[in-house]
Amino acid sequence: MGVDVHWDSIDRAWNDDPVEFSFEFQPSPTGPRPANLDPFLACSDLIEELNDEAEDQWEDDAPFVEDTADTPIGGVIALMNTAGEGVEIRTWLTRYAQRLTDQGWTGQIRGAHNPQPPAWSNQPEQIGHALGALLRLNPHPGSGTFPYGSDVAAEDRAALIDIADLVDARSSAPLAYIGRGIFRSPAPQTRRGAAWIDAAARAPFTSLTWINEPTLSVARARLSSGARASITLASATEPWRARLDVLTQILTLLGPRLEYGVTRTCHPLSGPSEAPPAVRPGENVSTDDLDIARHYVLDAAGIQVLTGTHLAKTRDLSAWTITDLGNDRHLVQHPDPEAWYANKLPDPGVQAAARDDFGDLILTEETFKALRPPTR
């Protein structure tokens, strides 16, 4: 007994894409396995070792595994960047099987399918621009083998599951994917939000994508390190106001827990970011540092969650609607949402006036340089 390679499935995956293909180690569900050894850790270490050996042996003809992730059934999927004439790849995979066997594993290495959402779901010309809410939670660094999910406190993970369930219920999507980095797998038909958050404990970037073909609608939830999450909604048939209402509801529900939240227009695939869709000319700044983000924002937006510390730096928000969400968090809304969200980019005149309203809250390059420690 041990680990063997199913060459027919490897060849099929390779033939489907001669440049790169996915393969998967599937531990036997009934066979022996090494005690206290996680398959993902075991495979990650072995893959790094085999990549180094291949480079030393074959140089430019060396195959190279670019990325790995665990699978819903407890296996490990990997992406092979092909090179050489084929002997090198077969040698690499044979060594991989033997090293796993030497560790005490049983199971099989097979070609794997990495499903892709339909092309229309990523194309603004098909479904228009998307609206997205970026959520920055207060990170709670954890310890242990897989620290990714512990970036977010347990109560925040539970809240994100509730938000995903809300999106799941309204999307009525028969098809959904869980993403672990570059890899995707079909999401379960029930408890999709919980499956997404469970995956986050083992990957630095996870996503949950809902596809509704009849309405040409797509929704994506993402969670990445630094306790950043986002929800993105795009549709060829649903009005922008309906999608904005959902995102505003999400900001309101999660508002008391957020360090910062904002709704922006964005690309359906990439989703929102803390940077505005139209970058302020000449500014080279960042709010990646949470200590900076707690005092400044990169730009004004039509709807955002701000703290009392943020509001103290603004110049004049008398024309804006400010709603107390509790825990010193406030939902700040511009009186003309159409100017911000009906089109791909905000109305330039409205955005310029909003920047003036925000005043010193907007991080400038001069302030950023003064705040950033010289060692960074």
Side-chain angles (χ1 to χ4, degrees):
M1 296 183 67
V3 177
D4 65 276
V5 183
H6 191 279
W7 293 112
D8 286 347
S9 67
I10 293 290
D11 289 340
R12 285 195 296 271
W14 192 356
N15 289 334
D16 286 343
D17 189 341
V19 176
E20 58 185 20
F21 68 91
S22 297
F23 64 93
E24 180 179 348
F25 167 51
Q26 300 173 344
S28 171
T30 57
R33 60 171 57 200
N36 302 319
L37 187 58
D38 185 278
F40 182 57
L41 283 179
C43 289
S44 297
D45 290 343
L46 287 179
I47 285 171
E48 183 177 355
E49 178 182 300
L50 289 168
N51 277 343
D52 290 341
E53 291 179 12
E55 185 176 9
D56 290 341
Q57 181 174 356
W58 297 302
E59 298 180 347
D60 292 343
D61 289 332
F64 186 82
V65 170
E66 296 184 9
D67 205 354
T68 57
D70 68 330
T71 67
I73 60 173
V76 179
I77 191 170
L79 181 68
M80 172 70 79
N81 191 325
T82 63
E85 297 297 326
V87 173
E88 294 86 354
I89 289 176
R90 291 183 175 274
T91 302
W92 197 105
L93 291 170
T94 300
R95 290 174 180 172
Y96 184 41
Q98 185 59 55
R99 304 283 173 90
L100 288 168
T101 299
D102 292 344
Q103 286 187 347
W105 294 97
T106 58
Q108 194 168 70
I109 297 168
R110 303 180 59 91
H113 178 54
N114 188 14
Q116 304 293 325
W120 61 261
S121 69
N122 299 330
Q123 297 174 355
E125 57 270 23
Q126 294 275 348
I127 56 176
H129 68 276
L131 301 184
L134 176 73
L135 315 168
R136 185 157 186 175
L137 298 151
N138 187 16
H140 290 252
S143 58
T145 305
F146 299 100
Y148 309 119
S150 58
D151 266 334
V152 179
E155 56 268 36
D156 291 336
R157 292 197 294 271
L160 289 172
I161 290 173
D162 290 342
I163 294 302
D165 288 345
L166 182 155
V167 175
D168 188 62
R170 75 178 297 276
S171 69
S172 302
L175 182 62
Y177 300 100
I178 299 286
R180 295 166 173 81
I182 64 173
F183 302 103
R184 280 162 294 277
S185 58
Q189 291 301 309
T190 60
R191 302 188 69 250
R192 288 170 171 171
W196 166 49
I197 297 301
D198 285 347
R202 309 264 294 191
F205 175 85
T206 55
S207 62
L208 173 56
T209 301
W210 296 266
I211 301 294
N212 192 321
E213 185 90 39
T215 63
L216 287 182
S217 301
V218 59
R220 287 186 173 94
R222 296 174 174 85
L223 181 62
S224 57
S225 57
R228 290 180 173 91
S230 67
I231 305 292
T232 305
L233 306 176
S235 177
T237 58
E238 185 179 36
W240 66 267
R241 286 186 183 274
R243 287 177 279 137
L244 184 63
D245 286 347
V246 174
L247 297 176
T248 304
Q249 180 184 359
I250 289 172
L251 285 178
T252 302
L253 291 172
L254 275 179
R257 312 202 61 82
L258 297 178
E259 291 298 326
Y260 175 65
V262 65
T263 295
R264 301 192 190 278
T265 57
C266 56
H267 190 281
L269 179 61
S270 59
S273 67
E274 287 185 65
V279 178
R280 289 175 289 124
E283 296 291 341
N284 183 19
V285 297
S286 169
T287 52
D288 285 345
D289 189 320
L290 188 57
D291 290 335
I292 294 177
R294 285 171 173 157
H295 292 85
Y296 298 92
V297 301
L298 290 179
D299 207 350
I303 301 175
Q304 59 264 293
V305 172
L306 301 174
T307 66
T309 302
H310 289 139
L311 291 178
K313 287 186 167 61
T314 61
R315 191 186 70 83
D316 180 12
L317 296 184
S318 58
W320 297 63
T321 298
I322 302 177
T323 305
D324 186 354
L325 302 178
N327 195 31
D328 195 32
R329 269 63 175 173
H330 310 272
L331 184 69
V332 181
Q333 299 172 278
H334 190 269
D336 184 7
E338 185 173 3
W340 292 91
Y341 302 109
N343 300 302
K344 181 180 178 180
L345 294 177
D347 178 275
V350 170
Q351 188 175 46
R355 287 168 175 165
D356 187 59
D357 291 343
F358 271 44
D360 293 338
L361 177 58
I362 297 177
L363 182 63
T364 65
E365 191 165 15
E366 182 181 22
T367 302
F368 178 64
K369 289 179 178 178
L371 292 171
R372 185 178 56 183
T375 55
R376 290 184 183 166

